[in-house]
Amino acid sequence: MTLNDWLTIAAVLLSPLIAVQVTRYLDNKKEVRERQLWIFKTLMATRASSMSPHHVEALNRIDLEFKASSKKEKDVIDAWKAYLDLMGDDKMDPSQWNVRRVDLLVELLHKMATVLDYSFDKTTIKNSSYYPRGFGAMEEEQGAIRRGVKELLDGGRALPLYVTNFPPADAPLPPLGE
């Protein structure tokens, strides 16, 4: 047998193995991209509602699905860390904190858009979300109700009671035991 025959036999034997490995590699890359896309799409869809459980879940998956090994993905991780750092800052004035939060979220989403080949500019990301005013009012009302019930249960607030329809002063009292 010649070298050419051996190479042909090796190619016939190894080609299915190589094909399987290439397919697995491509499938893995596709799965990673799909998970990254889920995070990005979820954050984009909930960017006006940062208290959404889906928003929080997507934020918590960033460091799982984006790796610091590539320059673009490292930029996402760095932007996520800056955003996360702000989330834990309770010393900043609330109005300044919210402005900074929005700016950092826009930066994070812009970095993710770049990695995932979406062409969103920061202004579009910041200004093109829809959040009905009624949602905000409903969240404020639910928060007020939760705080009020908590104060009541903690003993910090009394439940006001008003008696109406008193019986007339000259009405006979019912006999005891009825």
Side-chain angles (χ1 to χ4, degrees):
M1 285 183 127
T2 66
L3 177 62
N4 197 21
D5 294 335
W6 283 109
L7 290 175
T8 303
I9 291 170
V12 169
L13 293 175
L14 292 177
S15 61
L17 178 65
I18 292 169
V20 167
Q21 292 302 319
V22 168
T23 301
R24 288 182 70 193
Y25 173 78
L26 294 174
D27 286 346
N28 286 341
K29 283 191 69 78
K30 182 181 176 186
E31 286 176 19
V32 167
R33 179 170 170 79
E34 286 174 1
R35 290 191 305 265
Q36 289 175 340
L37 280 170
W38 180 88
I39 292 169
F40 177 69
K41 288 177 180 182
T42 301
L43 290 175
M44 285 294 285
T46 61
R47 66 189 181 270
S49 178
S50 62
M51 293 291 292
S52 160
H54 294 297
H55 187 84
V56 174
E57 180 183 356
L59 284 172
N60 285 327
R61 287 185 173 195
I62 289 173
D63 62 335
L64 296 172
E65 303 302 339
F66 289 86
K67 304 296 178 216
S69 56
S70 80
K71 168 73 171 110
K72 285 182 179 181
E73 289 189 27
K74 184 181 181 325
D75 290 345
V76 170
I77 296 294
D78 291 344
W80 173 76
K81 285 179 181 177
Y83 186 75
L84 189 64
D85 187 51
L86 179 73
M87 295 293 105
D89 186 354
D90 57 355
K91 294 176 181 69
M92 188 181 288
D93 176 72
S95 61
Q96 292 175 342
W97 183 89
N98 197 48
V99 169
R100 182 77 176 133
R101 182 193 66 78
V102 170
D103 289 343
L104 289 174
L105 179 61
V106 167
E107 182 68 24
L108 172 61
L109 290 171
H110 186 257
K111 299 285 186 192
M112 292 175 86
T114 301
V115 167
L116 298 169
D117 297 322
Y118 281 90
S119 59
F120 288 113
D121 59 68
K122 291 179 183 179
T123 304
T124 300
I125 293 170
K126 185 175 183 177
N127 297 328
S128 66
S129 65
Y130 174 64
Y131 190 76
R133 281 184 234 139
F135 281 7
M138 186 170 59
E139 280 184 4
E140 287 178 29
E141 291 166 355
Q142 288 173 344
I145 290 168
R146 282 192 305 269
R147 285 187 298 278
V149 169
K150 183 178 182 327
E151 285 178 27
L152 182 66
L153 294 174
D154 289 344
R157 172 175 281 195
L159 186 62
L161 297 175
Y162 302 99
V163 180
T164 60
N165 298 330
F166 279 105
D170 58 349
L173 292 174
L176 291 174
E178 282 188 24

